PDB file of all heavy atoms in Angstrom:
ATOM      1  N   TYR S 533      14.053   5.640   6.486  1.00 98.00           N
ATOM      2  CA  TYR S 533      15.113   6.252   7.294  1.00 98.00           C
ATOM      3  C   TYR S 533      14.672   7.537   7.981  1.00 98.00           C
ATOM      4  O   TYR S 533      15.024   7.774   9.144  1.00 98.00           O
ATOM      5  CB  TYR S 533      16.343   6.532   6.419  1.00 98.00           C
ATOM      6  CG  TYR S 533      17.566   6.853   7.252  1.00 98.00           C
ATOM      7  CD1 TYR S 533      18.377   5.830   7.737  1.00 98.00           C
ATOM      8  CD2 TYR S 533      17.895   8.163   7.582  1.00 98.00           C
ATOM      9  CE1 TYR S 533      19.488   6.108   8.528  1.00 98.00           C
ATOM     10  CE2 TYR S 533      19.001   8.447   8.372  1.00 98.00           C
ATOM     11  CZ  TYR S 533      19.790   7.410   8.833  1.00 98.00           C
ATOM     12  OH  TYR S 533      20.882   7.690   9.625  1.00 98.00           O
ATOM     13  N   SER S 534      13.923   8.383   7.277  1.00 98.00           N
ATOM     14  CA  SER S 534      13.652   9.739   7.775  1.00 98.00           C
ATOM     15  C   SER S 534      12.208   9.954   8.205  1.00 98.00           C
ATOM     16  O   SER S 534      11.876  11.019   8.728  1.00 98.00           O
ATOM     17  CB  SER S 534      13.999  10.772   6.676  1.00 98.00           C
ATOM     18  OG  SER S 534      15.365  10.682   6.328  1.00 98.00           O
ATOM     19  N   HIS S 535      11.339   9.000   7.991  1.00 98.00           N
ATOM     20  CA  HIS S 535       9.909   9.175   8.248  1.00 98.00           C
ATOM     21  C   HIS S 535       9.419   8.133   9.243  1.00 98.00           C
ATOM     22  O   HIS S 535       9.022   8.470  10.363  1.00 98.00           O
ATOM     23  CB  HIS S 535       9.173   9.060   6.898  1.00 98.00           C
ATOM     24  CG  HIS S 535       7.698   9.308   6.912  1.00 98.00           C
ATOM     25  ND1 HIS S 535       6.790   8.409   7.437  1.00 98.00           N
ATOM     26  CD2 HIS S 535       6.954  10.332   6.425  1.00 98.00           C
ATOM     27  CE1 HIS S 535       5.556   8.886   7.281  1.00 98.00           C
ATOM     28  NE2 HIS S 535       5.624  10.046   6.675  1.00 98.00           N
ATOM     29  N   GLU S 536       9.506   6.889   8.897  1.00 98.00           N
ATOM     30  CA  GLU S 536       8.981   5.804   9.733  1.00 98.00           C
ATOM     31  C   GLU S 536       9.564   5.790  11.140  1.00 98.00           C
ATOM     32  O   GLU S 536       8.814   5.628  12.118  1.00 98.00           O
ATOM     33  CB  GLU S 536       9.213   4.460   9.008  1.00 98.00           C
ATOM     34  CG  GLU S 536       8.359   3.303   9.482  1.00 98.00           C
ATOM     35  CD  GLU S 536       8.940   2.539  10.653  1.00 98.00           C
ATOM     36  OE1 GLU S 536       9.882   3.027  11.289  1.00 98.00           O
ATOM     37  OE2 GLU S 536       8.418   1.455  10.928  1.00 98.00           O
ATOM     38  N   PRO S 537      10.881   5.971  11.330  1.00 98.00           N
ATOM     39  CA  PRO S 537      11.441   5.889  12.689  1.00 98.00           C
ATOM     40  C   PRO S 537      10.936   6.985  13.621  1.00 98.00           C
ATOM     41  O   PRO S 537      11.120   6.884  14.837  1.00 98.00           O
ATOM     42  CB  PRO S 537      12.957   6.029  12.450  1.00 98.00           C
ATOM     43  CG  PRO S 537      13.162   5.592  11.037  1.00 98.00           C
ATOM     44  CD  PRO S 537      11.942   6.084  10.302  1.00 98.00           C
ATOM     45  N   TYR S 538      10.320   8.012  13.093  1.00 98.00           N
ATOM     46  CA  TYR S 538       9.764   9.089  13.915  1.00 98.00           C
ATOM     47  C   TYR S 538       8.243   8.973  14.010  1.00 98.00           C
ATOM     48  O   TYR S 538       7.673   8.878  15.074  1.00 98.00           O
ATOM     49  CB  TYR S 538      10.164  10.448  13.320  1.00 98.00           C
ATOM     50  CG  TYR S 538      11.657  10.598  13.174  1.00 98.00           C
ATOM     51  CD1 TYR S 538      12.289  10.395  11.949  1.00 98.00           C
ATOM     52  CD2 TYR S 538      12.442  10.887  14.282  1.00 98.00           C
ATOM     53  CE1 TYR S 538      13.668  10.502  11.836  1.00 98.00           C
ATOM     54  CE2 TYR S 538      13.818  10.990  14.177  1.00 98.00           C
ATOM     55  CZ  TYR S 538      14.424  10.795  12.940  1.00 98.00           C
ATOM     56  OH  TYR S 538      15.781  10.881  12.837  1.00 98.00           O
ATOM     57  N   ILE S 539       7.600   8.990  12.836  1.00 98.00           N
ATOM     58  CA  ILE S 539       6.140   9.075  12.809  1.00 98.00           C
ATOM     59  C   ILE S 539       5.503   7.748  13.230  1.00 98.00           C
ATOM     60  O   ILE S 539       4.537   7.719  14.006  1.00 98.00           O
ATOM     61  CB  ILE S 539       5.673   9.528  11.407  1.00 98.00           C
ATOM     62  CG1 ILE S 539       6.174  10.972  11.176  1.00 98.00           C
ATOM     63  CG2 ILE S 539       4.159   9.416  11.270  1.00 98.00           C
ATOM     64  CD1 ILE S 539       5.934  11.519   9.794  1.00 98.00           C
ATOM     65  N   ALA S 540       6.051   6.648  12.751  1.00 98.00           N
ATOM     66  CA  ALA S 540       5.495   5.347  13.137  1.00 98.00           C
ATOM     67  C   ALA S 540       5.785   5.035  14.599  1.00 98.00           C
ATOM     68  O   ALA S 540       4.942   4.457  15.297  1.00 98.00           O
ATOM     69  CB  ALA S 540       6.069   4.244  12.245  1.00 98.00           C
ATOM     70  N   VAL S 541       6.955   5.415  15.067  1.00 97.00           N
ATOM     71  CA  VAL S 541       7.342   5.043  16.431  1.00 97.00           C
ATOM     72  C   VAL S 541       6.503   5.791  17.469  1.00 97.00           C
ATOM     73  O   VAL S 541       6.066   5.205  18.460  1.00 97.00           O
ATOM     74  CB  VAL S 541       8.854   5.261  16.642  1.00 97.00           C
ATOM     75  CG1 VAL S 541       9.222   5.125  18.121  1.00 97.00           C
ATOM     76  CG2 VAL S 541       9.652   4.248  15.807  1.00 97.00           C
ATOM     77  N   LEU S 542       6.231   7.076  17.232  1.00 97.00           N
ATOM     78  CA  LEU S 542       5.357   7.804  18.173  1.00 97.00           C
ATOM     79  C   LEU S 542       3.970   7.176  18.230  1.00 97.00           C
ATOM     80  O   LEU S 542       3.382   7.038  19.310  1.00 97.00           O
ATOM     81  CB  LEU S 542       5.244   9.270  17.760  1.00 97.00           C
ATOM     82  CG  LEU S 542       6.240  10.250  18.392  1.00 97.00           C
ATOM     83  CD1 LEU S 542       5.922  11.667  17.957  1.00 97.00           C
ATOM     84  CD2 LEU S 542       6.225  10.158  19.916  1.00 97.00           C
ATOM     85  N   ARG S 543       3.442   6.811  17.083  1.00 97.00           N
ATOM     86  CA  ARG S 543       2.136   6.142  17.048  1.00 97.00           C
ATOM     87  C   ARG S 543       2.196   4.797  17.767  1.00 97.00           C
ATOM     88  O   ARG S 543       1.281   4.430  18.520  1.00 97.00           O
ATOM     89  CB  ARG S 543       1.690   5.939  15.591  1.00 97.00           C
ATOM     90  CG  ARG S 543       0.449   5.072  15.428  1.00 97.00           C
ATOM     91  CD  ARG S 543       0.079   4.966  13.953  1.00 97.00           C
ATOM     92  NE  ARG S 543      -1.004   4.019  13.720  1.00 97.00           N
ATOM     93  CZ  ARG S 543      -0.815   2.744  13.409  1.00 97.00           C
ATOM     94  NH1 ARG S 543       0.403   2.247  13.307  1.00 97.00           N
ATOM     95  NH2 ARG S 543      -1.856   1.954  13.207  1.00 97.00           N
ATOM     96  N   PHE S 544       3.275   4.075  17.564  1.00 97.00           N
ATOM     97  CA  PHE S 544       3.431   2.774  18.223  1.00 97.00           C
ATOM     98  C   PHE S 544       3.441   2.944  19.739  1.00 97.00           C
ATOM     99  O   PHE S 544       2.767   2.198  20.458  1.00 97.00           O
ATOM    100  CB  PHE S 544       4.725   2.099  17.750  1.00 97.00           C
ATOM    101  CG  PHE S 544       4.977   0.754  18.370  1.00 97.00           C
ATOM    102  CD1 PHE S 544       4.342  -0.383  17.903  1.00 97.00           C
ATOM    103  CD2 PHE S 544       5.843   0.617  19.451  1.00 97.00           C
ATOM    104  CE1 PHE S 544       4.566  -1.632  18.479  1.00 97.00           C
ATOM    105  CE2 PHE S 544       6.069  -0.619  20.044  1.00 97.00           C
ATOM    106  CZ  PHE S 544       5.434  -1.751  19.546  1.00 97.00           C
ATOM    107  N   TRP S 545       4.195   3.917  20.220  1.00 96.00           N
ATOM    108  CA  TRP S 545       4.259   4.147  21.665  1.00 96.00           C
ATOM    109  C   TRP S 545       2.874   4.440  22.244  1.00 96.00           C
ATOM    110  O   TRP S 545       2.503   3.895  23.280  1.00 96.00           O
ATOM    111  CB  TRP S 545       5.186   5.327  21.970  1.00 96.00           C
ATOM    112  CG  TRP S 545       6.642   5.022  21.788  1.00 96.00           C
ATOM    113  CD1 TRP S 545       7.218   3.792  21.630  1.00 96.00           C
ATOM    114  CD2 TRP S 545       7.715   5.975  21.743  1.00 96.00           C
ATOM    115  NE1 TRP S 545       8.575   3.923  21.490  1.00 96.00           N
ATOM    116  CE2 TRP S 545       8.910   5.242  21.559  1.00 96.00           C
ATOM    117  CE3 TRP S 545       7.782   7.364  21.840  1.00 96.00           C
ATOM    118  CZ2 TRP S 545      10.165   5.873  21.465  1.00 96.00           C
ATOM    119  CZ3 TRP S 545       9.022   7.984  21.762  1.00 96.00           C
ATOM    120  CH2 TRP S 545      10.201   7.245  21.578  1.00 96.00           C
ATOM    121  N   SER S 546       2.105   5.296  21.563  1.00 94.00           N
ATOM    122  CA  SER S 546       0.845   5.752  22.176  1.00 94.00           C
ATOM    123  C   SER S 546      -0.337   4.838  21.863  1.00 94.00           C
ATOM    124  O   SER S 546      -1.184   4.604  22.724  1.00 94.00           O
ATOM    125  CB  SER S 546       0.531   7.187  21.745  1.00 94.00           C
ATOM    126  OG  SER S 546       0.335   7.254  20.355  1.00 94.00           O
ATOM    127  N   GLU S 547      -0.393   4.292  20.646  1.00 93.00           N
ATOM    128  CA  GLU S 547      -1.581   3.552  20.216  1.00 93.00           C
ATOM    129  C   GLU S 547      -1.449   2.044  20.374  1.00 93.00           C
ATOM    130  O   GLU S 547      -2.448   1.340  20.456  1.00 93.00           O
ATOM    131  CB  GLU S 547      -1.892   3.859  18.742  1.00 93.00           C
ATOM    132  CG  GLU S 547      -2.346   5.275  18.484  1.00 93.00           C
ATOM    133  CD  GLU S 547      -3.750   5.536  19.013  1.00 93.00           C
ATOM    134  OE1 GLU S 547      -4.671   4.796  18.636  1.00 93.00           O
ATOM    135  OE2 GLU S 547      -3.916   6.482  19.814  1.00 93.00           O
ATOM    136  N   VAL S 548      -0.233   1.540  20.319  1.00 94.00           N
ATOM    137  CA  VAL S 548      -0.048   0.090  20.301  1.00 94.00           C
ATOM    138  C   VAL S 548       0.548  -0.401  21.622  1.00 94.00           C
ATOM    139  O   VAL S 548      -0.030  -1.230  22.307  1.00 94.00           O
ATOM    140  CB  VAL S 548       0.837  -0.342  19.107  1.00 94.00           C
ATOM    141  CG1 VAL S 548       0.986  -1.869  19.070  1.00 94.00           C
ATOM    142  CG2 VAL S 548       0.248   0.177  17.790  1.00 94.00           C
ATOM    143  N   ALA S 549       1.715   0.135  21.967  1.00 94.00           N
ATOM    144  CA  ALA S 549       2.403  -0.370  23.158  1.00 94.00           C
ATOM    145  C   ALA S 549       1.915   0.303  24.444  1.00 94.00           C
ATOM    146  O   ALA S 549       2.125  -0.231  25.529  1.00 94.00           O
ATOM    147  CB  ALA S 549       3.906  -0.162  23.013  1.00 94.00           C
ATOM    148  N   HIS S 550       1.242   1.453  24.318  1.00 94.00           N
ATOM    149  CA  HIS S 550       0.722   2.189  25.480  1.00 94.00           C
ATOM    150  C   HIS S 550       1.797   2.426  26.527  1.00 94.00           C
ATOM    151  O   HIS S 550       1.621   2.112  27.707  1.00 94.00           O
ATOM    152  CB  HIS S 550      -0.473   1.439  26.097  1.00 94.00           C
ATOM    153  CG  HIS S 550      -1.581   1.209  25.124  1.00 94.00           C
ATOM    154  ND1 HIS S 550      -2.314   2.238  24.551  1.00 94.00           N
ATOM    155  CD2 HIS S 550      -2.057   0.069  24.567  1.00 94.00           C
ATOM    156  CE1 HIS S 550      -3.212   1.738  23.721  1.00 94.00           C
ATOM    157  NE2 HIS S 550      -3.078   0.425  23.691  1.00 94.00           N
ATOM    158  N   ILE S 551       2.923   2.972  26.077  1.00 92.00           N
ATOM    159  CA  ILE S 551       3.972   3.333  27.023  1.00 92.00           C
ATOM    160  C   ILE S 551       4.070   4.848  27.079  1.00 92.00           C
ATOM    161  O   ILE S 551       3.614   5.552  26.177  1.00 92.00           O
ATOM    162  CB  ILE S 551       5.342   2.722  26.642  1.00 92.00           C
ATOM    163  CG1 ILE S 551       5.756   3.186  25.236  1.00 92.00           C
ATOM    164  CG2 ILE S 551       5.289   1.211  26.726  1.00 92.00           C
ATOM    165  CD1 ILE S 551       7.142   2.737  24.853  1.00 92.00           C
ATOM    166  N   ASN S 552       4.643   5.344  28.159  1.00 91.00           N
ATOM    167  CA  ASN S 552       4.816   6.780  28.343  1.00 91.00           C
ATOM    168  C   ASN S 552       6.300   7.116  28.282  1.00 91.00           C
ATOM    169  O   ASN S 552       6.998   7.035  29.298  1.00 91.00           O
ATOM    170  CB  ASN S 552       4.225   7.224  29.683  1.00 91.00           C
ATOM    171  CG  ASN S 552       2.704   7.240  29.646  1.00 91.00           C
ATOM    172  OD1 ASN S 552       2.105   7.826  28.753  1.00 91.00           O
ATOM    173  ND2 ASN S 552       2.111   6.563  30.616  1.00 91.00           N
TER     174      ASN S 552
END
Side-chain angles (χ1 to χ4, degrees):
Chain S
Y533 193 86
S534 300
H535 184 287
E536 199 273 14
Y538 304 100
I539 294 174
V541 170
L542 267 184
R543 171 179 173 266
F544 180 80
W545 287 347
S546 63
E547 292 289 305
V548 182
H550 303 295
I551 58 174
N552 286 309

